[in-house]
Amino acid sequence: MKMLGVSKEQIAAFRYSLISGVVNRQTPLLQGEITEYFKEIASKAYNIPGSCKTTVSIRTLERYKHLYEKYGYDALIPNSKTIPKTRAPLDILKEAELLKRERPERSIEQILYILKESGKLDSQSVSASTISRHFRKSDLSKESIKQEKTKNYGFKRFEAEDIHFIWQSDFQHTLYLPDPSNPGKKKKAMLYAILDDYSRYLVHAQFYWDEKLPCLEDSFKKAILKHGVPERFYCDNGSAFSSHHLSNICGRLGVKLTHSAPYRPQGRGKIERLFRFVDTSFKNEAYLAIESGKLTTLEELNVAFNNWVEGFYHIRKHGSTGVEPQKRLESSKRITRKIPIPELQKIFFYEDTRKVDKTACFSLLNNQYEVDSSLCGKKIVLRYDPFDLSMIEVWLNGKQYENAKPLVLFATVHPKRNQIPKEEKPTENHSCMSFLDAVKKQKEKQWEQITLTYKSEVR
């Protein structure tokens, strides 16, 4: 569902982002605090999806809050089929803003020239006065940009008030493994980690072959399944983190999605410190195992990293808090909000549109599917889990039809990581076990120490 290039889901996600600091709080704000919060939001300028306006009134914010609290997230999705066309395309204004931030001394004339020569404007007409007005509202003068880049922010050390209030997340390009499709070459393995701000506990961390959105969603969903829903998800400004799909997910979960500000990496200090510790404590040990042939696949790397997390990182006294992350997490009495697995799966569903051909079939990610014959020639909405392509929901005009029937499935999930046969390499005889073997033993020891208790059946 799109209106003039802007989907209704994008508009709903933006509206939710404006009120997310007020709704779904464990400790509700007083009316005066809500009013002050809305005053601050209304004083700022935004690139509003599907609108030529750049500000939102307090009355509008109060209406969004009322709709959300009374009817839920779907009430923020606009019902109107027509939205006023933006006078200046938002993508052009964003391109102009990037060019200005890149070189603050560029004039508007130079920026317009670059946009025209690069083919960004095409048939679109954007005047110098429009860009100038946008720069003034966004405070993008040469002096303000330079001050923003060079200013000493004097950050105070911040910490969340309790567990699962804030989760920080990011990708790290960690190390190289043998390429599954070409064992003679190396392929970069990237670590995606989600860290609890208060306890420094890793709610989930996993290696992937890339840093695309499905990997982020996969880890985010697993973290929620294990620990419940956080109040705030704090991440970088990368394309995966700033996607409308992630905004939509957070809106439906009731999670406030926030991004670190440009030129201010200090806000990601805790996750960056974790990655430095991974480099010094895990990375070199992993390379020793890779060189000896003991660790060759992505699956084996994830097992080794999980052993390191549970057998070393979680039970080691943290340098900043002075407490082991696992103990700090367990010492809290806070109870997080849980979501049933079927409902959580649907929240994370991808959404695509396809036109059904004359034989009642359509293709998705190189797979072929069949639907009800009454849908021939119609454009349908598909909802699915990108890691399970065997089950595709079919929707048309808000009505759900029978799930699509797979005809040809080249892949039921994302391409699996091929197992690479291990080479029998001579290894040196060491009197001591490796570090990774030691953390594995420590993890197993912890499991042995857990006492299982059973409740007697009440008759």
Side-chain angles (χ1 to χ4, degrees), residues 65-223:
K65 175 178 176 292
H66 171 75
L67 289 172
Y68 182 86
E69 292 179 339
K70 189 171 184 179
Y71 304 107
Y73 181 82
D74 288 340
L76 299 177
I77 299 174
N79 294 320
S80 174
K81 295 182 179 180
T82 58
I83 291 183
K85 187 175 181 181
T86 307
R87 293 178 183 175
L90 295 178
D91 55 342
I92 299 298
L93 294 178
K94 288 182 179 179
E95 287 286 345
E97 186 174 325
L98 289 173
L99 290 170
K100 184 67 173 178
R101 287 189 179 279
E102 184 183 35
R103 300 290 296 180
E105 64 275 10
R106 278 181 179 145
S107 66
I108 293 177
E109 181 184 9
Q110 288 175 307
I111 291 172
L112 278 173
Y113 180 82
I114 294 172
L115 290 172
K116 289 177 181 177
E117 291 300 316
S118 61
K120 297 288 185 181
L121 288 181
D122 295 329
S123 59
Q124 304 284 356
S125 177
V126 178
S127 65
S129 60
T130 300
I131 294 181
S132 178
R133 184 167 56 252
H134 175 71
F135 285 175
R136 286 197 304 272
K137 289 181 178 179
S138 303
D139 192 22
L140 288 176
S141 65
K142 180 172 67 175
E143 292 74 18
S144 63
I145 295 175
K146 287 184 176 180
Q147 287 176 6
E148 187 178 9
K149 288 184 176 182
T150 60
K151 183 178 178 181
N152 180 10
Y153 290 97
F155 281 98
K156 293 182 179 179
R157 186 165 293 186
F158 171 82
E159 183 177 89
E161 56 189 282
D162 206 340
I163 64 171
H164 306 317
F165 267 90
I166 300 175
W167 285 357
Q168 289 194 23
S169 66
D170 208 350
F171 282 99
Q172 183 201 38
H173 297 187
T174 311
L175 46 74
Y176 289 85
L177 283 174
D179 189 337
S181 58
N182 191 348
K185 294 185 177 181
K186 298 291 184 181
K187 188 173 182 179
K188 187 182 295 181
M190 278 154 282
L191 174 64
Y192 179 62
I194 306 177
L195 184 76
D196 178 57
D197 188 276
Y198 175 78
S199 64
R200 312 303 201 271
Y201 189 94
L202 270 172
V203 291
H204 189 75
Q206 186 172 337
F207 281 94
Y208 298 91
W209 285 129
D210 58 50
E211 51 183 313
K212 294 180 181 178
L213 188 61
C215 302
L216 183 160
E217 293 174 331
D218 180 53
S219 285
F220 191 27
K221 182 165 60 176
K222 289 175 180 175

Side-chain angles (χ1 to χ4, degrees), residues 17-18 36-46 56 61:
S17 69
L18 297 175
E36 289 301 317
Y37 182 88
F38 282 167
K39 282 182 180 179
E40 181 181 354
I41 296 298
S43 67
K44 298 178 181 179
Y46 305 92
V56 182
L61 294 171

